[in-house]
Amino acid sequence: MISILPPKYRAKDPRQLLYHFPSMPVVKYAKLMQEFSFNHALSVAEDVAHKNGYILVPYKCMHWERKKRFVDRRVKIGRNSFFMMKQLELTKSEKAKLDDYIEELEGVG
């Protein structure tokens, strides 16, 4: 199945950083925890979608008319929305946008 998670998000778990570095700036730790929490929630949503035979497609990869049609399959995590779609339901442009999105994640991660 296609995954939209950053490749190594679990390797950068910041939960024990304060124990090892008690003088770490609060803002930096908060940003690290926010990003990790988002990715963790995304992994749970992706796991549920995969168990039901769907993949998660980011909001920005879909056309606005199709977004209206699949409102009942929307998953909202924080401020971001994702749609649970079957791979066969994706249009050519959605597949291309999803591939570009995954390539961006691999470049960042």
Side-chain angles (χ1 to χ4, degrees):
M1 285 265 167
I2 296 174
S3 177
I4 58 172
L5 284 170
K8 297 181 181 178
Y9 95 93
R10 289 180 199 252
K12 298 179 181 177
D13 187 352
R15 290 180 280 194
Q16 294 186 5
L17 282 177
L18 281 182
Y19 177 76
H20 296 290
F21 305 102
S23 62
M24 175 180 255
V26 176
V27 174
K28 182 176 182 178
Y29 180 74
K31 287 181 181 180
L32 290 172
M33 274 305 297
Q34 182 181 16
E35 182 181 353
F36 180 79
S37 297
F38 171 77
N39 286 331
H40 185 68
L42 184 60
S43 73
V44 171
E46 189 174 71
D47 189 40
V48 169
H50 287 175
K51 287 181 181 178
N52 289 320
Y54 295 105
I55 60 171
L56 286 183
V57 179
Y59 185 84
K60 68 179 184 178
C61 294
M62 293 185 64
H63 190 268
W64 65 272
E65 288 178 338
R66 286 183 48 91
K67 289 176 193 173
K68 281 184 175 180
R69 194 168 5 147
F70 294 110
V71 171
D72 57 331
R73 293 194 204 170
R74 186 176 65 195
V75 177
K76 196 158 172 95
I77 301 172
R79 293 182 178 181
N80 300 328
S81 294
F82 301 90
F83 290 90
M84 293 193 310
M85 304 287 291
K86 301 248 184 212
Q87 284 185 346
L88 299 175
E89 292 177 332
L90 297 177
T91 62
K92 289 180 184 178
S93 64
E94 287 172 351
K95 286 179 187 175
K97 289 177 184 178
L98 183 60
D99 289 339
D100 291 341
Y101 181 83
I102 291 171
E103 284 180 20
E104 281 180 31
L105 283 177
E106 290 172 356
V108 170

